[in-house]
Amino acid sequence: MVRLLPTGCQVEVHDADPVPPGDLTRPAAGREPDPWQEHGRGLLLIRALSSSCGHRPTETGKAVWFRLAAVPPQGRPRPV
């Protein structure tokens, strides 16, 4: 689910597993993703690119959400 906000957007993903996704603010000690693997970077990307993130329990599992800040439009040069 994507929701537009005045300051950007919020993305929320649901799954059936009620177990929390781990620490969304920093990787657990010794749990840095292996740079040679093709998986294991999802939460790292969320932490690096989002302005905030978190998770919440739902009736059927959990929801993980993150917010992306709006980027102001670039100024265009005025014609002379």
Side-chain angles (χ1 to χ4, degrees), residues 3-71:
R3 185 170 49 138
L4 294 177
L5 305 170
T7 58
C9 72
Q10 179 170 312
V11 178
E12 188 170 279
V13 179
H14 294 245
D15 71 30
D17 186 356
V19 177
D23 191 348
L24 288 168
T25 58
R26 65 184 184 285
R31 302 280 316 237
E32 288 287 335
D34 181 342
W36 298 104
Q37 294 297 315
E38 295 181 0
H39 57 81
R41 293 182 185 82
L43 294 179
L44 178 66
L45 289 171
I46 287 173
R47 287 189 298 269
L49 299 173
S50 66
S51 58
S52 60
C53 57
H55 62 90
R56 63 181 176 81
T58 64
E59 290 181 7
T60 58
K62 71 176 172 290
V64 177
W65 59 268
F66 61 93
R67 291 189 182 124
L68 299 173
V71 177

Side-chain angles (χ1 to χ4, degrees), residues 20 30 70 80:
V80 221

